[in-house]
Amino acid sequence: PGVRAPAAAGAGVAGRAAGAGTPFDSMMGFGGRPALVVIDFCTAYTTPGSVFYCGDPGCGVVSAVARTVPLLQKARQKQVPVVYTRVVYNSDGSDNNLLFLKKVPLVKAWTEDNPQTSICEEVAPVAGEEVILKKHPSAFFGTHLLQYLTSRGIDTILLVGCSTSGCIRATAVDAMSNNFRVTIPKECVGDRTPAVHDANLLDMQAKVCDVRPLSDVMDFLDGLPPPAKRAKAL
């Protein structure tokens, strides 16, 4: 089952916004050829003292990274493609006219030589896994992610990372708009506060994607046929 009404969002409001008795009570379901897309799990969000630190034990990025470790292991075991994104800007200031940097100017410091742009060690990519650099919230905008996925016949995106209200939401909307099935394992995304996190999960479940417990996603991966049989279905 997907997320219907996170408690922090308020049961009365959530009941009117989505779920049983509203127009927003359907699930996309899984396809047969998934990829795991890991959005911006960088150390800026997990390092105490960083201005971007998200350490809330319930909804924060620190806990989301830890909960993603077994999912990543399972995806690799099942030979599911894994794609990462990092946010990196040019150190010469040539990106400074991007409107996102005017909205959030502190991320101008996210240059290649800034260690806080590095992917968290617990979920770091291994040889052969794609790492895409991006400059905007959506992993699709201005990148080759769409080409990467379509060339491999991917029909389902398992979406993890941060932040729930920012790059996760933007990527989920673009993925759905490009006709991918999208599932977010709710334990594997993180944000600044429970209110922001829960409200966005609720609304994405209503209109954009499926928000499921991590256990559902693990069961889906366990049930996948061998890679050779998945390839024959293309």
Side-chain angles (χ1 to χ4, degrees):
V3 168
R4 288 294 185 263
V13 174
R16 293 191 298 274
T22 77
F24 306 108
D25 191 31
S26 298
M27 301 291 284
M28 287 181 174
F30 297 109
R33 297 181 297 280
L36 177 61
V37 178
V38 184
I39 302 293
D40 303 349
F41 264 159
C42 66
T43 60
Y45 296 112
T46 60
T47 303
S50 165
V51 295
F52 294 99
Y53 181 64
C54 294
D56 185 286
C59 73
V61 176
V62 175
S63 57
V65 167
R67 293 165 183 162
T68 298
V69 171
L71 176 60
L72 187 57
Q73 292 171 340
K74 179 64 68 175
R76 289 169 176 160
Q77 176 191 336
K78 302 298 286 190
Q79 298 182 48
V80 167
V82 181
V83 187
Y84 291 81
T85 67
R86 297 173 58 218
V87 174
V88 177
Y89 295 102
N90 294 332
S91 58
D92 62 3
S94 57
D95 290 325
N96 287 356
N97 284 331
L98 294 175
L99 289 179
F100 182 61
L101 294 183
K102 294 186 182 300
K103 188 65 178 176
V104 191
L106 283 176
V107 296
K108 288 179 184 178
W110 289 26
T111 54
E112 187 62 61
D113 58 350
N114 183 341
Q116 290 199 339
T117 67
S118 300
I119 296 170
C120 298
E121 183 178 351
E122 304 96 310
V123 291
V126 299
E129 293 177 343
E130 194 80 1
V131 180
I132 295 174
L133 302 186
K134 68 184 183 74
K135 299 177 187 289
H136 300 275
S138 171
F140 287 91
F141 190 89
T143 76
H144 65 279
L145 178 59
L146 179 60
Q147 178 184 3
Y148 176 92
L149 297 171
T150 55
S151 68
R152 288 159 177 78
I154 300 301
D155 63 4
T156 300
I157 293 175
L158 309 176
L159 186 60
V160 304
C162 61
S163 66
T164 311
S165 60
C167 296
I168 292 294
R169 185 177 186 121
T171 300
V173 170
D174 278 359
M176 182 268 291
S177 299
N178 280 292
N179 218 37
F180 292 100
R181 298 171 184 262
V182 184
T183 290
I184 296 175
K186 61 182 181 178
E187 297 92 337
C188 299
V189 291
D191 214 314
R192 304 180 304 280
T193 68
V196 169
H197 176 76
D198 288 347
N200 276 274
L201 286 180
L202 172 65
D203 201 50
M204 284 191 286
Q205 164 62 38
K207 304 170 189 171
V208 177
C209 62
D210 294 347
V211 179
R212 296 175 178 265
L214 173 59
S215 59
D216 283 7
V217 180
M218 297 290 276
D219 289 346
F220 163 67
L221 292 175
D222 275 330
L224 282 175
K229 290 188 177 180
R230 282 178 253 158
K232 289 178 182 177
L234 293 176

